[in-house]
Each structure stands twice: as structure tokens, then as C-alpha cells.
Amino acid sequence: MEFTHFRYVIFVLIGLLIFNDVSWRTIATFAAIGGMLKKNCSDPADPGEFCWTENQRGAFLGAFYYGYALQFIPTLIASKIGFNLCHRISSLLCAILQVTCPLCIGYSPALAAVLQGVRGFASGVVMTNSFEVTRKWSLGNEANFVISGVGSMLFLGAGVGPFVASAITETMGWRYPYYISGAVYGVLLVSMCVLMPETPFDSRLMGHTEKEWFVKKRVEAEDTAKAAAGKNAKYKASLRSILKRACLYMMCIWQIANLFLFYTDYIATPFYLEEVFSADIETLGYLQLGMSLTCFSSCIIWKSLLPLYEKCGIPWLRVRVFFLLLPVAGNGIITAVLGYVDSFAGAACCLIVKSVIQGSLFAGSLMTVVYELDPFNAPLMIGIYNSIGQASGFVSPLVMTAMTSADQTEEGYMETWRAKWQAYYLMEAGVAFVGAVSVVVAIAARPGEWRLHPVLAAKSGGEKDGNKAAKSGGGKGENKVSGLRVETDTGEVKEGGEGIVIGNNNAEQ
């Protein structure tokens, strides 16, 4: 059986893989709230099973992100041996680890934290693989829409997962979300093995006509490379040349700020809402569902606005700067206000507004920009800045514990505790401000790195957009730019002159 548009099946599958990976990340939070841990170890009537210290709880909640912060390592390995193979191995590991985690929780808090860290490490290749699949399997202008679709599935999973996990925890117990998620990982692993080969040319289900389209895509990429940088130019840049890019370090700082805000909303803030407003686990589950659905829908809305900016003649870079500043600056301001809101409804509204802003991440902000600057090396760049940025996932619970700990037996405990939370949220706003400043500094310091890749410019609008790319770089040819880094097949990096923007892999499909 052959399908004319089999690549759409691949796009749906990669979206489901992202959705599943993100969905189960907050199991630990709801397990801790929903019966796994005692709130008061000195109270014999406390329904929790295990008595852990706050440091043990913080280490367990953040352990996933210790491993996830090392995703540059599996990404680098995947770039050598194949992203699909690494993704299959990671899915197998995650299935095993999810099923065994409840047993380890009862045996040792330290062992449970280690398993969480290993699962985070195994999950590190999921996001980068989605970008590699997007590059290989998209035709024409599809890649931008696929990135937004994958991003919307990430946001959807970030809320639907906690909602489902909270419901399962309430009805069946805290262990069952782990068991069910392990089974789902197994099902998706089988789907990957059956449906997703390493390249479109290896697919047995793709129709002949669609394969011809991909052959044409490869030929066009080869012609563009030769016209822009000569026969010795390579699309795939070396790690050394990538590490010389100033834009990469801006992305690292930006991602730290962005994820510090994001993970606080989904990991730390539920504890704040539970204590201050007596929100139960079901209410928190519905809130996070609402947040994720808002992110999901706003991602689509933000994406629909991009063509309007183009029609109005607003330059590509100016639009992307706006989308880079919006998530960190906008959410930073709302975070600073959150600690002073005196009602659960008001706090929920703040979080919903933050979700509306967060939806821009895959619709013009960092995830879109990194692909538009260099689609062929985007997975490796994402692996680098996400490795650094994901440190926020384990740092935020530790910082939260350090800044908000208070003695419950002291008089005026609630006032003291809430004041500490207000200071914590103000600190987060300061981190967001640093992320916003990094955008301005990076573009001002190295404007030559901030140009739409000529291959994408040629696809996006033919001669009109190609000429825009040429003018922005000072070149005369339709798909040429100047003043940029070009890497030859001998590994030599040439500065200046005409060349393809920080390239790809010899038109490798």
C-alpha cells in the first residue's frame, strides 16, 4: 500500500511523540501532592505513604531536568548514528523506567531521583529529532507550519498530561500514571519502527509521486549550495564553527529565562496555589489543562499573524525580535505581579495570560527563528541551547525550596511564607529581564548572523523573497548573501564574501 501524502502521517506521529514525552513530565508533582509523600511527618493521620525532607522532594522533582539538561550529548550522538535510532532507544528506556519508578520510590528516594534523571537524559533527543524530521520530510513552505504544529502539541501535552495524571492519581492512586505512561511509550515505539524510516527515500509506504517530489527537493538544495558557495561548500557545519556564533549564546540565555518562568508555572506554582488558596489536586489539574489549551490555541493564532506582518511589509528580523522579546518580557512582568494577587481566580487569570504569550514560542519566537537561520544545523543548535536552558528545570525547584522554606510552627508563618514567594517571583522577573536584554545585545553585536537562510528565502516567495535575502546581505544573486561564515568540505571556515548562510550537509536529505 502506498500513500501520496505519507509525510503527513510522519508529521502526525512526530507530534504524538512530542505530546507523549511532555505529557508525563509532571507525574512526579501530582504524585507528591496526591498521596506519595506526607505533608506532615509528625501527624499519624497524614494519608501520605512516605516521609521525605524538602530537599529530597526538591531533588526528586528536579531530577528529570538534570538528565534533560544533558540533551546535547544524545543529540550529538544522534547526529552521527541517526536521530530515529536514538529516538527509538530513548522510547524503550523511558517505557522501562516509567514502569519501574514506583518500585524505586518505595525503596530509596535517591534511587528514584536517579531514575528520573536517566529518563530525562533519554528524552533529550525527542525535541531535536522533531526538527530533523521536519527538515527531511517537509516540502516547500511546510516546515514552518510543522514546527508550529509540533509546538502546539508540546503545549497541549503540558496541560493534558497533568490533567490526565491528576485524574488517574485521584481515582486509581499515584503509581498508575507511571504504569500507563510506560505502556504508551511502548506503543509509540512500535509505531516508530513501523512507520518512520531514517529518510523519506527509505519509506515503503510513500507513493512514487511523493518520492519524486523529494528527489526534486534534493536537487534544488544541491543547486542552491553550488550557486551560493561553490562546489566545496557544505550545508552541515562543524561543532566548532557553530560554537563561534554569538546568536547561539543569546539563545542559551534566552532559553534559561524562558524556561525558568515556564517550569515555575508547572512545577513550583501548584504548591503555592495549594498552600495560599487551598486549591486541591483536581482544581490544579483543570487549571493546567486550561493553561495548555490556551498555549495550544494561541500558538495557532500567533502563527496566523505572521503572513499579515509580511503583507504589511514589516521586515522579517523586526517581526522575529518582537516575538523573541514577548515571551520573556511579557511573562516576566506578569510573574512579578503574581505573588501579590489575593484570589485564586486572579492568580489563574495571570497564568492564563502568560499561556497566551507563551504560545508564540513556536510561532515566530526562538524555535521558529533557529530553524529559519539555519534549518540544517537547527537540531544541534537546539540540543546545545536546550541543554543549558533546561537547567532551569532542576534549578527552579531547588531555588524555590531555598527561597520559600519557612517553619510552619512559627507564629505568622503564612505571612512570612508568602513574602518569600513574592521575593521568589520578583527574582524570576529579573531573570526574564536579562533574557530580553540578551536579544538586543546579540543582534546589535553580530547583525550578520541574523538573516533568513537563503534556501528558505528561495522557497518562501521565489524571486521576491530571494531578492530580499540578497539585499539584506549585500549580495547580487538571488540566493546569495555576504559577510557570513561558509564551511568547505575540508573543514575550512571562510569569513566574508558570498556564501550560503551557516550551511547544511552537502544536500543530504
Side-chain angles (χ1 to χ4, degrees), residues 19 152-163 266 285-298 351-352 355:
F19 174 83
S152 64
M153 294 302 290
L154 182 149
F155 293 130
L156 190 63
V160 173
F163 177 76
Y266 283 90
Y286 277 111
L287 174 60
Q288 293 204 346
L289 176 63
M291 291 166 60
S292 72
L293 292 177
T294 302
C295 280
F296 174 78
S297 57
S298 67
L351 293 172
I352 292 296
S355 299

PDB file of all heavy atoms in Angstrom, residues 19 152-163 266 285-298 351-352 355:
ATOM      1  N   PHE A  19       3.958  15.129  22.138  1.00  0.00           N
ATOM      2  CA  PHE A  19       2.834  15.205  23.081  1.00  0.00           C
ATOM      3  C   PHE A  19       3.020  14.212  24.228  1.00  0.00           C
ATOM      4  O   PHE A  19       2.866  14.550  25.407  1.00  0.00           O
ATOM      5  CB  PHE A  19       1.531  14.912  22.332  1.00  0.00           C
ATOM      6  CG  PHE A  19       0.321  14.816  23.218  1.00  0.00           C
ATOM      7  CD1 PHE A  19      -0.353  15.958  23.611  1.00  0.00           C
ATOM      8  CD2 PHE A  19      -0.143  13.587  23.656  1.00  0.00           C
ATOM      9  CE1 PHE A  19      -1.476  15.871  24.426  1.00  0.00           C
ATOM     10  CE2 PHE A  19      -1.252  13.486  24.468  1.00  0.00           C
ATOM     11  CZ  PHE A  19      -1.922  14.634  24.847  1.00  0.00           C
ATOM     12  N   SER A 152       2.561  23.298  19.179  1.00  0.00           N
ATOM     13  CA  SER A 152       1.230  23.275  19.777  1.00  0.00           C
ATOM     14  C   SER A 152       0.970  21.950  20.489  1.00  0.00           C
ATOM     15  O   SER A 152       0.318  21.914  21.541  1.00  0.00           O
ATOM     16  CB  SER A 152       0.164  23.522  18.702  1.00  0.00           C
ATOM     17  OG  SER A 152       0.159  22.481  17.734  1.00  0.00           O
ATOM     18  N   MET A 153       1.516  20.858  19.959  1.00  0.00           N
ATOM     19  CA  MET A 153       1.369  19.564  20.637  1.00  0.00           C
ATOM     20  C   MET A 153       2.165  19.534  21.944  1.00  0.00           C
ATOM     21  O   MET A 153       1.751  18.907  22.927  1.00  0.00           O
ATOM     22  CB  MET A 153       1.840  18.436  19.720  1.00  0.00           C
ATOM     23  CG  MET A 153       0.993  18.250  18.487  1.00  0.00           C
ATOM     24  SD  MET A 153      -0.746  17.920  18.864  1.00  0.00           S
ATOM     25  CE  MET A 153      -0.630  16.277  19.560  1.00  0.00           C
ATOM     26  N   LEU A 154       3.291  20.240  21.967  1.00  0.00           N
ATOM     27  CA  LEU A 154       4.062  20.340  23.212  1.00  0.00           C
ATOM     28  C   LEU A 154       3.235  21.030  24.280  1.00  0.00           C
ATOM     29  O   LEU A 154       3.158  20.571  25.428  1.00  0.00           O
ATOM     30  CB  LEU A 154       5.361  21.105  22.944  1.00  0.00           C
ATOM     31  CG  LEU A 154       6.335  21.275  24.115  1.00  0.00           C
ATOM     32  CD1 LEU A 154       7.768  21.318  23.587  1.00  0.00           C
ATOM     33  CD2 LEU A 154       6.058  22.541  24.898  1.00  0.00           C
ATOM     34  N   PHE A 155       2.604  22.153  23.916  1.00  0.00           N
ATOM     35  CA  PHE A 155       1.794  22.876  24.883  1.00  0.00           C
ATOM     36  C   PHE A 155       0.561  22.075  25.287  1.00  0.00           C
ATOM     37  O   PHE A 155       0.145  22.094  26.454  1.00  0.00           O
ATOM     38  CB  PHE A 155       1.365  24.224  24.296  1.00  0.00           C
ATOM     39  CG  PHE A 155       2.503  25.178  24.087  1.00  0.00           C
ATOM     40  CD1 PHE A 155       2.665  25.820  22.869  1.00  0.00           C
ATOM     41  CD2 PHE A 155       3.423  25.418  25.083  1.00  0.00           C
ATOM     42  CE1 PHE A 155       3.713  26.699  22.666  1.00  0.00           C
ATOM     43  CE2 PHE A 155       4.483  26.291  24.895  1.00  0.00           C
ATOM     44  CZ  PHE A 155       4.620  26.936  23.681  1.00  0.00           C
ATOM     45  N   LEU A 156      -0.025  21.385  24.304  1.00  0.00           N
ATOM     46  CA  LEU A 156      -1.194  20.569  24.612  1.00  0.00           C
ATOM     47  C   LEU A 156      -0.833  19.464  25.600  1.00  0.00           C
ATOM     48  O   LEU A 156      -1.553  19.204  26.571  1.00  0.00           O
ATOM     49  CB  LEU A 156      -1.757  19.969  23.323  1.00  0.00           C
ATOM     50  CG  LEU A 156      -3.117  19.269  23.423  1.00  0.00           C
ATOM     51  CD1 LEU A 156      -4.195  20.261  23.831  1.00  0.00           C
ATOM     52  CD2 LEU A 156      -3.482  18.616  22.097  1.00  0.00           C
ATOM     53  N   GLY A 157       0.303  18.825  25.371  1.00  0.00           N
ATOM     54  CA  GLY A 157       0.737  17.779  26.279  1.00  0.00           C
ATOM     55  C   GLY A 157       1.074  18.295  27.659  1.00  0.00           C
ATOM     56  O   GLY A 157       0.865  17.613  28.667  1.00  0.00           O
ATOM     57  N   ALA A 158       1.599  19.542  27.722  1.00  0.00           N
ATOM     58  CA  ALA A 158       1.976  20.122  29.008  1.00  0.00           C
ATOM     59  C   ALA A 158       0.780  20.322  29.924  1.00  0.00           C
ATOM     60  O   ALA A 158       0.942  20.417  31.143  1.00  0.00           O
ATOM     61  CB  ALA A 158       2.690  21.452  28.791  1.00  0.00           C
ATOM     62  N   GLY A 159      -0.423  20.390  29.355  1.00  0.00           N
ATOM     63  CA  GLY A 159      -1.609  20.558  30.187  1.00  0.00           C
ATOM     64  C   GLY A 159      -2.484  19.325  30.238  1.00  0.00           C
ATOM     65  O   GLY A 159      -3.017  18.972  31.296  1.00  0.00           O
ATOM     66  N   VAL A 160      -2.652  18.668  29.096  1.00  0.00           N
ATOM     67  CA  VAL A 160      -3.481  17.457  29.078  1.00  0.00           C
ATOM     68  C   VAL A 160      -2.818  16.370  29.923  1.00  0.00           C
ATOM     69  O   VAL A 160      -3.493  15.645  30.665  1.00  0.00           O
ATOM     70  CB  VAL A 160      -3.683  16.964  27.628  1.00  0.00           C
ATOM     71  CG1 VAL A 160      -4.384  15.613  27.622  1.00  0.00           C
ATOM     72  CG2 VAL A 160      -4.500  17.981  26.841  1.00  0.00           C
ATOM     73  N   GLY A 161      -1.493  16.278  29.849  1.00  0.00           N
ATOM     74  CA  GLY A 161      -0.772  15.279  30.635  1.00  0.00           C
ATOM     75  C   GLY A 161      -1.011  15.436  32.124  1.00  0.00           C
ATOM     76  O   GLY A 161      -1.420  14.485  32.804  1.00  0.00           O
ATOM     77  N   PRO A 162      -0.777  16.645  32.698  1.00  0.00           N
ATOM     78  CA  PRO A 162      -1.067  16.834  34.116  1.00  0.00           C
ATOM     79  C   PRO A 162      -2.532  16.589  34.468  1.00  0.00           C
ATOM     80  O   PRO A 162      -2.830  16.051  35.539  1.00  0.00           O
ATOM     81  CB  PRO A 162      -0.696  18.302  34.350  1.00  0.00           C
ATOM     82  CG  PRO A 162       0.348  18.583  33.338  1.00  0.00           C
ATOM     83  CD  PRO A 162      -0.061  17.782  32.121  1.00  0.00           C
ATOM     84  N   PHE A 163      -3.440  16.978  33.565  1.00  0.00           N
ATOM     85  CA  PHE A 163      -4.867  16.758  33.838  1.00  0.00           C
ATOM     86  C   PHE A 163      -5.165  15.266  33.922  1.00  0.00           C
ATOM     87  O   PHE A 163      -5.843  14.800  34.844  1.00  0.00           O
ATOM     88  CB  PHE A 163      -5.705  17.398  32.731  1.00  0.00           C
ATOM     89  CG  PHE A 163      -7.182  17.161  32.876  1.00  0.00           C
ATOM     90  CD1 PHE A 163      -7.916  17.850  33.811  1.00  0.00           C
ATOM     91  CD2 PHE A 163      -7.830  16.233  32.063  1.00  0.00           C
ATOM     92  CE1 PHE A 163      -9.279  17.629  33.952  1.00  0.00           C
ATOM     93  CE2 PHE A 163      -9.179  16.006  32.193  1.00  0.00           C
ATOM     94  CZ  PHE A 163      -9.914  16.708  33.132  1.00  0.00           C
ATOM     95  N   TYR A 266       4.513  25.346  36.044  1.00  0.00           N
ATOM     96  CA  TYR A 266       4.005  23.977  36.027  1.00  0.00           C
ATOM     97  C   TYR A 266       4.541  23.107  37.171  1.00  0.00           C
ATOM     98  O   TYR A 266       3.953  22.060  37.462  1.00  0.00           O
ATOM     99  CB  TYR A 266       4.345  23.314  34.689  1.00  0.00           C
ATOM    100  CG  TYR A 266       3.445  23.776  33.567  1.00  0.00           C
ATOM    101  CD1 TYR A 266       3.781  24.886  32.787  1.00  0.00           C
ATOM    102  CD2 TYR A 266       2.247  23.131  33.285  1.00  0.00           C
ATOM    103  CE1 TYR A 266       2.956  25.327  31.766  1.00  0.00           C
ATOM    104  CE2 TYR A 266       1.413  23.565  32.264  1.00  0.00           C
ATOM    105  CZ  TYR A 266       1.777  24.660  31.507  1.00  0.00           C
ATOM    106  OH  TYR A 266       0.953  25.094  30.492  1.00  0.00           O
ATOM    107  N   GLY A 285      -5.312  20.462  38.384  1.00  0.00           N
ATOM    108  CA  GLY A 285      -5.311  19.743  37.119  1.00  0.00           C
ATOM    109  C   GLY A 285      -6.108  20.472  36.055  1.00  0.00           C
ATOM    110  O   GLY A 285      -5.675  20.594  34.902  1.00  0.00           O
ATOM    111  N   TYR A 286      -7.291  20.976  36.429  1.00  0.00           N
ATOM    112  CA  TYR A 286      -8.102  21.739  35.478  1.00  0.00           C
ATOM    113  C   TYR A 286      -7.409  23.038  35.075  1.00  0.00           C
ATOM    114  O   TYR A 286      -7.491  23.466  33.916  1.00  0.00           O
ATOM    115  CB  TYR A 286      -9.471  22.051  36.084  1.00  0.00           C
ATOM    116  CG  TYR A 286     -10.466  20.919  35.949  1.00  0.00           C
ATOM    117  CD1 TYR A 286     -10.899  20.207  37.065  1.00  0.00           C
ATOM    118  CD2 TYR A 286     -10.979  20.566  34.700  1.00  0.00           C
ATOM    119  CE1 TYR A 286     -11.806  19.159  36.943  1.00  0.00           C
ATOM    120  CE2 TYR A 286     -11.890  19.534  34.567  1.00  0.00           C
ATOM    121  CZ  TYR A 286     -12.298  18.830  35.688  1.00  0.00           C
ATOM    122  OH  TYR A 286     -13.203  17.793  35.574  1.00  0.00           O
ATOM    123  N   LEU A 287      -6.733  23.668  36.031  1.00  0.00           N
ATOM    124  CA  LEU A 287      -6.024  24.909  35.710  1.00  0.00           C
ATOM    125  C   LEU A 287      -4.917  24.650  34.694  1.00  0.00           C
ATOM    126  O   LEU A 287      -4.782  25.393  33.704  1.00  0.00           O
ATOM    127  CB  LEU A 287      -5.444  25.521  36.985  1.00  0.00           C
ATOM    128  CG  LEU A 287      -4.550  26.757  36.781  1.00  0.00           C
ATOM    129  CD1 LEU A 287      -5.329  27.870  36.107  1.00  0.00           C
ATOM    130  CD2 LEU A 287      -3.965  27.233  38.111  1.00  0.00           C
ATOM    131  N   GLN A 288      -4.127  23.619  34.909  1.00  0.00           N
ATOM    132  CA  GLN A 288      -3.049  23.344  33.970  1.00  0.00           C
ATOM    133  C   GLN A 288      -3.587  22.892  32.617  1.00  0.00           C
ATOM    134  O   GLN A 288      -2.965  23.151  31.579  1.00  0.00           O
ATOM    135  CB  GLN A 288      -2.092  22.306  34.562  1.00  0.00           C
ATOM    136  CG  GLN A 288      -1.323  22.827  35.764  1.00  0.00           C
ATOM    137  CD  GLN A 288      -0.023  22.092  35.987  1.00  0.00           C
ATOM    138  OE1 GLN A 288       0.226  21.030  35.422  1.00  0.00           O
ATOM    139  NE2 GLN A 288       0.831  22.647  36.831  1.00  0.00           N
ATOM    140  N   LEU A 289      -4.734  22.227  32.613  1.00  0.00           N
ATOM    141  CA  LEU A 289      -5.372  21.895  31.342  1.00  0.00           C
ATOM    142  C   LEU A 289      -5.755  23.170  30.599  1.00  0.00           C
ATOM    143  O   LEU A 289      -5.515  23.300  29.389  1.00  0.00           O
ATOM    144  CB  LEU A 289      -6.601  21.022  31.580  1.00  0.00           C
ATOM    145  CG  LEU A 289      -7.425  20.678  30.332  1.00  0.00           C
ATOM    146  CD1 LEU A 289      -6.595  19.859  29.355  1.00  0.00           C
ATOM    147  CD2 LEU A 289      -8.698  19.937  30.713  1.00  0.00           C
ATOM    148  N   GLY A 290      -6.341  24.122  31.327  1.00  0.00           N
ATOM    149  CA  GLY A 290      -6.708  25.393  30.704  1.00  0.00           C
ATOM    150  C   GLY A 290      -5.497  26.146  30.185  1.00  0.00           C
ATOM    151  O   GLY A 290      -5.533  26.743  29.102  1.00  0.00           O
ATOM    152  N   MET A 291      -4.405  26.099  30.939  1.00  0.00           N
ATOM    153  CA  MET A 291      -3.176  26.769  30.502  1.00  0.00           C
ATOM    154  C   MET A 291      -2.645  26.150  29.218  1.00  0.00           C
ATOM    155  O   MET A 291      -2.231  26.855  28.289  1.00  0.00           O
ATOM    156  CB  MET A 291      -2.131  26.697  31.616  1.00  0.00           C
ATOM    157  CG  MET A 291      -2.462  27.537  32.840  1.00  0.00           C
ATOM    158  SD  MET A 291      -1.423  27.113  34.269  1.00  0.00           S
ATOM    159  CE  MET A 291       0.217  27.466  33.645  1.00  0.00           C
ATOM    160  N   SER A 292      -2.640  24.841  29.158  1.00  0.00           N
ATOM    161  CA  SER A 292      -2.089  24.179  27.967  1.00  0.00           C
ATOM    162  C   SER A 292      -2.976  24.384  26.749  1.00  0.00           C
ATOM    163  O   SER A 292      -2.483  24.596  25.635  1.00  0.00           O
ATOM    164  CB  SER A 292      -1.909  22.684  28.231  1.00  0.00           C
ATOM    165  OG  SER A 292      -3.147  22.024  28.266  1.00  0.00           O
ATOM    166  N   LEU A 293      -4.301  24.332  26.931  1.00  0.00           N
ATOM    167  CA  LEU A 293      -5.210  24.576  25.811  1.00  0.00           C
ATOM    168  C   LEU A 293      -5.077  26.007  25.309  1.00  0.00           C
ATOM    169  O   LEU A 293      -5.190  26.266  24.100  1.00  0.00           O
ATOM    170  CB  LEU A 293      -6.651  24.286  26.231  1.00  0.00           C
ATOM    171  CG  LEU A 293      -6.986  22.810  26.510  1.00  0.00           C
ATOM    172  CD1 LEU A 293      -8.423  22.672  26.999  1.00  0.00           C
ATOM    173  CD2 LEU A 293      -6.758  21.956  25.270  1.00  0.00           C
ATOM    174  N   THR A 294      -4.817  26.923  26.236  1.00  0.00           N
ATOM    175  CA  THR A 294      -4.595  28.313  25.840  1.00  0.00           C
ATOM    176  C   THR A 294      -3.323  28.438  25.025  1.00  0.00           C
ATOM    177  O   THR A 294      -3.280  29.121  23.990  1.00  0.00           O
ATOM    178  CB  THR A 294      -4.515  29.211  27.085  1.00  0.00           C
ATOM    179  OG1 THR A 294      -5.720  29.094  27.840  1.00  0.00           O
ATOM    180  CG2 THR A 294      -4.326  30.665  26.683  1.00  0.00           C
ATOM    181  N   CYS A 295      -2.240  27.785  25.477  1.00  0.00           N
ATOM    182  CA  CYS A 295      -0.991  27.790  24.713  1.00  0.00           C
ATOM    183  C   CYS A 295      -1.197  27.176  23.334  1.00  0.00           C
ATOM    184  O   CYS A 295      -0.684  27.686  22.325  1.00  0.00           O
ATOM    185  CB  CYS A 295       0.090  27.009  25.472  1.00  0.00           C
ATOM    186  SG  CYS A 295       0.889  27.914  26.796  1.00  0.00           S
ATOM    187  N   PHE A 296      -1.930  26.069  23.301  1.00  0.00           N
ATOM    188  CA  PHE A 296      -2.188  25.363  22.049  1.00  0.00           C
ATOM    189  C   PHE A 296      -2.907  26.264  21.044  1.00  0.00           C
ATOM    190  O   PHE A 296      -2.482  26.410  19.891  1.00  0.00           O
ATOM    191  CB  PHE A 296      -3.020  24.114  22.333  1.00  0.00           C
ATOM    192  CG  PHE A 296      -3.474  23.377  21.113  1.00  0.00           C
ATOM    193  CD1 PHE A 296      -2.613  22.552  20.423  1.00  0.00           C
ATOM    194  CD2 PHE A 296      -4.775  23.505  20.646  1.00  0.00           C
ATOM    195  CE1 PHE A 296      -3.024  21.868  19.292  1.00  0.00           C
ATOM    196  CE2 PHE A 296      -5.204  22.825  19.521  1.00  0.00           C
ATOM    197  CZ  PHE A 296      -4.328  22.005  18.840  1.00  0.00           C
ATOM    198  N   SER A 297      -3.981  26.900  21.490  1.00  0.00           N
ATOM    199  CA  SER A 297      -4.760  27.752  20.592  1.00  0.00           C
ATOM    200  C   SER A 297      -4.018  29.041  20.251  1.00  0.00           C
ATOM    201  O   SER A 297      -4.075  29.515  19.106  1.00  0.00           O
ATOM    202  CB  SER A 297      -6.127  28.073  21.213  1.00  0.00           C
ATOM    203  OG  SER A 297      -5.968  28.681  22.480  1.00  0.00           O
ATOM    204  N   SER A 298      -3.309  29.611  21.234  1.00  0.00           N
ATOM    205  CA  SER A 298      -2.600  30.864  20.954  1.00  0.00           C
ATOM    206  C   SER A 298      -1.447  30.641  19.987  1.00  0.00           C
ATOM    207  O   SER A 298      -1.101  31.536  19.210  1.00  0.00           O
ATOM    208  CB  SER A 298      -2.087  31.489  22.249  1.00  0.00           C
ATOM    209  OG  SER A 298      -1.082  30.697  22.847  1.00  0.00           O
ATOM    210  N   LEU A 351      -1.954  33.350  35.077  1.00  0.00           N
ATOM    211  CA  LEU A 351      -1.335  32.195  34.439  1.00  0.00           C
ATOM    212  C   LEU A 351      -1.893  31.961  33.036  1.00  0.00           C
ATOM    213  O   LEU A 351      -1.162  31.536  32.133  1.00  0.00           O
ATOM    214  CB  LEU A 351      -1.544  30.953  35.305  1.00  0.00           C
ATOM    215  CG  LEU A 351      -0.810  30.977  36.658  1.00  0.00           C
ATOM    216  CD1 LEU A 351      -1.232  29.788  37.516  1.00  0.00           C
ATOM    217  CD2 LEU A 351       0.703  30.968  36.448  1.00  0.00           C
ATOM    218  N   ILE A 352      -3.174  32.238  32.832  1.00  0.00           N
ATOM    219  CA  ILE A 352      -3.767  32.081  31.505  1.00  0.00           C
ATOM    220  C   ILE A 352      -3.184  33.100  30.534  1.00  0.00           C
ATOM    221  O   ILE A 352      -2.862  32.781  29.374  1.00  0.00           O
ATOM    222  CB  ILE A 352      -5.305  32.215  31.580  1.00  0.00           C
ATOM    223  CG1 ILE A 352      -5.906  31.035  32.336  1.00  0.00           C
ATOM    224  CG2 ILE A 352      -5.897  32.302  30.183  1.00  0.00           C
ATOM    225  CD1 ILE A 352      -5.700  29.693  31.671  1.00  0.00           C
ATOM    226  N   SER A 355       0.085  32.059  29.461  1.00  0.00           N
ATOM    227  CA  SER A 355      -0.018  30.976  28.480  1.00  0.00           C
ATOM    228  C   SER A 355      -0.286  31.509  27.079  1.00  0.00           C
ATOM    229  O   SER A 355       0.210  30.962  26.093  1.00  0.00           O
ATOM    230  CB  SER A 355      -1.128  30.001  28.896  1.00  0.00           C
ATOM    231  OG  SER A 355      -0.842  29.414  30.153  1.00  0.00           O
TER     232      SER A 355
END
